[in-house]
Amino acid sequence: MEQKEWTTVPVLPCKAIGETLAFWENLGFAITYRQDRPYQYGVVERNGHQLHFVRVKGAEAGYTGCLMMVHNVEQTHADFSRALKTKLGKVPNTGIPRISRLRPGQSRFTITDVSENAVIVIQIGEKDQVEYEDADPASLTPLQKAISLALRLRDFKEDFPAALKVLDMAIRKMDDGESEYDRARAAEIRQSVADLMG
C-alpha cells in the first residue's frame, strides 16, 4: 500500500474477531494481522483496501460502517457474490451477513458482515448522486418523486419498510395524470422491495 504522510484508519467493532475475519477472508481478503490478547484486534486487506476490527465487549448494537471506493463496482459485486455462494452455498441478500443486490446502472452496494458492520462499496466517479437527486425538480409528478425517494431508501439506506411505505402511499394517491410507464415502474420497484423483505 502506498505510504502517505497522513493515514486515517477507521476501526470497526466486532462481536468475535475470528468469525469476523473469516467472513472477510471468504470474500477474498487476506488476514494481515490478528491478536487475541490483551484484546481482540484484526486486519484484513484486499487490493490495497484495509479493514480493521476490534472486539467491543458489551457494546450496544448500532450502525457502524465505512466506504470502500473501487474502479469496477459490477466486477467487485460479482466477485463477492461468487465467493459468498461458494462458501455459504447461497448469496445472502437478507439477514446477517448479507450483500445487497446490484441493479443495472447502480454504482454502489453494501456488504453487512457477521458483526453488522456495513461496508458500502462505491464506484469511483459514481453518477448515482445526480440521478437520485433528481427527486426534487418541480417537473416531476408525485409518483415520479415517490419512485426516486423509494430508490434512495432501497439502494442507499437499505430501509426497505420506508421504501415500501412511500410507494404504497403514492400508488394509493396516484391520479390519471401518471403515465403507464411510471405506474409499471412503481409496481416493479415495489415488488423488488417486497422481495428484499422476504
Side-chain angles (χ1 to χ4, degrees), residues 1-164:
M1 213 170 144
E2 182 185 338
Q3 293 298 311
K4 299 177 182 173
E5 187 177 346
W6 288 72
T7 302
T8 302
V9 180
V11 179
L12 302 172
C14 69
K15 297 174 182 175
I17 198 67
E19 189 179 342
T20 300
L21 295 179
F23 173 81
W24 289 99
E25 191 175 36
N26 288 343
L27 289 174
F29 285 73
I31 299 171
T32 58
Y33 181 79
R34 176 176 177 171
Q35 76 174 40
D36 292 292
R37 290 195 177 107
Y39 56 90
Q40 293 184 7
Y41 191 93
V43 181
V44 295
E45 183 172 350
R46 178 175 173 163
N47 296 336
H49 293 286
Q50 288 187 351
L51 294 171
H52 290 236
F53 300 94
V54 65
R55 181 170 180 263
V56 179
K57 208 172 182 179
E60 291 183 21
Y63 179 87
T64 56
C66 66
L67 302 179
M68 180 182 293
M69 310 295 281
V70 301
H71 286 286
N72 188 331
V73 75
E74 291 179 3
Q75 186 61 53
T76 303
H77 187 272
D79 291 346
F80 287 165
S81 295
R82 190 170 33 259
L84 285 172
K85 187 166 187 176
T86 300
K87 298 294 183 179
L88 304 177
K90 65 176 184 171
V91 180
N93 299 122
T94 59
I96 304 296
R98 69 177 176 270
I99 182 171
S100 63
R101 290 183 173 91
L102 185 69
R103 288 150 196 89
Q106 191 176 320
S107 60
R108 62 174 64 196
F109 66 92
T110 304
I111 300 168
T112 305
D113 73 9
V114 294
S115 293
E116 300 183 47
N117 293 303
V119 176
I120 304 168
V121 182
I122 300 177
Q123 176 84 29
I124 293 173
E126 70 165 337
K127 61 183 183 356
D128 271 357
Q129 187 170 354
V130 174
E131 293 174 359
Y132 282 82
E133 284 176 353
D134 279 346
D136 300 326
S139 62
L140 296 183
T141 69
L143 184 57
Q144 289 170 338
K145 287 181 182 179
I147 288 170
S148 188
L149 176 56
L151 287 173
R152 281 187 294 197
L153 290 166
R154 181 192 73 183
D155 298 339
F156 288 174
K157 298 192 173 186
E158 291 192 328
D159 189 344
F160 307 134
L164 199 62

